[in-house]
Amino acid sequence: MSQRPAVITCHDCGLLQKISHLPEDGTVTCSRCDATLRKIERIKPADNIEHLLALVITALVIFIIANSFPVIDLQVAGHEVETSLYGIIHYLLTRSDYFLGGLVFLTALGAPLIQLTGLLYILLPLNSNVIPPFAAQVYRVVRLITQWSMLEVLMLGLIVSLVKLSAMGTLIPSVALFAFLALIFFIADILSNINSEIIWSKISTIKQDPRLKDSERPENITNCHNCHLLCKIPEHHEGRCPRCDSPLHKRKPDSMARCTAYLIAAVVLYIPANLLPVMVVSSLGHSEGETIMGGIIYLGTSGDMSLAIIVFVASMVVPSIKLIILTLLLITTYFKSQWNMKDRTRLYRLTELIGRWSMVDIFVTASMAALIQIQGLAVIEVGGGAIAFGAVVVLTILAAMSFDPRLIWDNLEKKNE
Ligand SMILES: [Zn+2]
Ligand SMILES: [Zn+2]
């Protein structure tokens, strides 16, 4: 085994650093910004693949159960109404709500399914020491789609819906809800057990970029953002990672311009998202719109204060904080500020972490509207506010994805040169 020190560029601040001693078990953090550079676990590679495969197969079985039964089952005035996750998506699409339908499909069904089937495609042959075709490309997709899988947020949305619906009728316990809960734990277990270094080393024979020379200048070296292979950045054109085919660039292209564009669009849509009703409830000839804040007040006054606070944080605090942090990062980076670079990088990591929770209101609205379509008694429709709010969530996620935190540190490097 090579005893050469590992060379890693930090994905958050860009610093090239040599790690002379890799611990057998534990985490290696960046010496400048505290980002996690490597997670190393003392697991035998063979055990890891076999263990992961067992988890993935179990999760897929639970996934099928969760999607075969209704997630909400309610008895209202002699009517029994129920909806599955597929039913929620189907309802949105038949109402021509393609954006919300597509968003719920991606985050609650498509992303987890691609994640699990992609892993099955790689791990099943790998367990018998066979590398499946296009394994690197499939694993790249699995890693990219993971951030769009939001089952834990769906779960919170379903719980909020159940609390709201309990005032309308009698809830019947649903198998699918428990299956989704189990699925969340299994996927979290898979993600914490997955050792990407081991998987990359098993599916690809490339251990180092062949274009990389020992004398390479540090500014021409970067780790592939997807598979972490140390690569040479071509000087005059955009290169690709020899292992996973991801585009290679020193900094995300047009990061500031793209982040600003997404952010401005999100700020503009944030206004109708909060002013327009997210859902319209029609009952006995009387229609009433409910805004996001109205829904939170309803939850609070109907006795569920803790849930009201959770939804308030997810739907009001998180999007506002995200918009403020991204604006602050853009302005300070534009003016080449050297103020608190470490804390600003931490703020960036926070925006990446919390953004998904704002989806909770979309899941609440979609599931309640799909369920309550009892003509002559009560009908719930998705309001314009929900579409604007969904767009805000997607735009802020895209804004955070396009911002390159290494730009925060670039001025320091220029000053020190
Ligand atoms: Zn760093
Ligand atoms: Zn790569």
Side-chain angles (χ1 to χ4, degrees):
M1 252 176 80
S2 162
Q3 290 301 313
R4 283 175 57 194
V7 180
I8 301 174
T9 54
C10 174
H11 46 79
D12 276 3
C13 75
L15 185 70
L16 186 78
Q17 42 211 301
K18 269 185 189 163
I19 300 169
S20 51
H21 171 69
L22 279 170
E24 276 186 40
D25 209 353
T27 309
V28 181
T29 52
C30 170
S31 61
R32 186 160 73 172
C33 77
D34 290 345
T36 302
L37 298 177
R38 284 284 186 281
K39 263 192 187 146
I40 303 148
E41 283 165 77
R42 210 187 327 219
I43 300 171
K44 279 187 278 171
D47 287 356
N48 186 275
I49 301 289
E50 209 174 297
H51 179 61
L52 268 178
L53 182 63
L55 286 175
V56 169
I57 292 172
T58 317
L60 268 168
V61 173
I62 299 172
F63 183 91
I64 295 166
I65 297 171
N67 282 289
S68 307
F69 294 95
V71 277
I72 306 175
D73 201 340
L74 180 79
Q75 268 190 332
V76 197
H79 296 77
E80 187 174 340
V81 283
E82 55 174 43
T83 184
S84 61
L85 177 60
Y86 171 76
I88 297 171
I89 297 163
H90 180 74
Y91 163 78
L92 290 169
L93 294 179
T94 48
R95 277 191 77 250
S96 304
D97 259 333
Y98 298 117
F99 170 66
L100 285 183
L103 191 58
V104 175
F105 172 78
L106 172 73
T107 53
L109 206 125
L113 185 64
I114 293 172
Q115 205 179 1
L116 292 174
T117 47
L119 283 174
L120 184 72
Y121 174 80
I122 295 166
L123 296 173
L124 197 61
L126 217 53
N127 198 36
S128 317
N129 291 318
V130 177
I131 303 172
F134 306 107
Q137 284 83 349
V138 172
Y139 193 49
R140 182 182 155 203
V141 173
V142 167
R143 287 175 60 84
L144 285 173
I145 204 85
T146 298
Q147 60 190 321
W148 291 99
S149 170
M150 302 186 188
L151 286 178
E152 67 285 18
V153 189
L154 169 76
M155 193 70 205
L156 178 63
L158 291 173
I159 291 170
V160 174
S161 299
L162 291 175
V163 170
K164 285 184 157 189
L165 291 164
S166 62
M168 288 182 80
T170 314
L171 288 163
I172 300 160
S174 103
V175 177
L177 211 58
F178 291 103
F180 270 114
L181 193 64
L183 188 59
I184 291 165
F185 283 104
F186 269 95
I187 291 184
D189 202 21
I190 290 168
L191 292 180
S192 71
N193 271 296
I194 210 158
N195 190 329
S196 285
E197 303 299 322
I198 291 177
I199 295 193
W200 282 120
S201 69
K202 287 210 157 208
I203 59 178
S204 169
T205 49
I206 299 168
K207 302 276 181 278
Q208 201 185 334
D209 187 348
R211 300 164 295 190
L212 199 63
K213 306 278 179 296
D214 280 348
S215 57
E216 203 61 65
R217 287 167 48 190
E219 59 267 33
N220 294 338
I221 301 174
T222 192
N223 282 93
C224 166
H225 68 94
N226 190 281
C227 76
H228 301 147
L229 184 75
L230 199 66
C231 295
K232 178 187 162 70
I233 311 167
E235 272 168 45
H236 301 296
H237 59 94
E238 197 183 68
R240 291 206 164 254
C241 168
R243 184 156 73 174
C244 75
D245 206 35
S246 291
L248 289 175
H249 24 69
K250 201 168 163 54
R251 299 292 177 260
K252 291 175 188 170
D254 306 320
S255 164
M256 295 283 281
R258 283 193 299 139
C259 182
T260 310
Y262 287 133
L263 192 65
I264 291 173
V267 171
V268 170
L269 284 168
Y270 191 59
I271 301 162
N274 280 284
L275 294 181
L276 293 178
V278 282
M279 67 168 91
V280 180
V281 184
S282 307
S283 179
L284 307 170
H286 174 71
S287 284
E288 200 178 338
E290 188 182 274
T291 58
I292 293 176
M293 200 59 214
I296 296 166
I297 293 169
Y298 172 81
L299 264 180
T301 49
S302 63
D304 224 300
M305 208 39 153
S306 49
L307 207 54
I309 293 169
I310 293 172
V311 179
F312 177 74
V313 172
S315 314
M316 304 296 290
V317 180
V318 167
S320 315
I321 284 186
K322 231 183 141 176
L323 292 176
I324 294 167
I325 292 177
L326 285 170
T327 309
L328 177 89
L329 290 176
L330 279 175
I331 293 174
T332 49
T333 308
Y334 181 79
F335 286 106
K336 304 189 187 331
S337 162
Q338 294 195 16
W339 165 72
N340 259 334
M341 290 185 280
K342 201 166 167 175
D343 285 339
R344 275 156 60 205
T345 313
R346 281 198 187 118
L347 283 178
Y348 170 72
R349 287 200 281 269
L350 182 74
T351 59
E352 277 200 311
L353 207 70
I354 59 173
R356 57 204 288 110
W357 287 98
S358 309
M359 272 292 289
V360 69
D361 250 304
I362 301 298
F363 291 132
V364 173
T365 307
S367 57
M368 288 186 67
L371 188 76
I372 306 299
Q373 294 294 324
I374 315 163
Q375 301 302 331
L377 187 68
V379 174
I380 294 180
E381 300 284 349
V382 176
I387 298 163
F389 193 77
V392 171
V393 177
V394 173
L395 286 165
T396 51
I397 290 175
L398 292 175
M401 279 165 72
S402 31
F403 183 77
D404 195 328
R406 290 170 293 191
L407 295 173
I408 298 173
W409 298 85
D410 279 353
N411 302 311
L412 181 76
E413 281 169 13
K414 280 192 189 117
K415 198 184 165 197
N416 290 345
E417 266 168 18

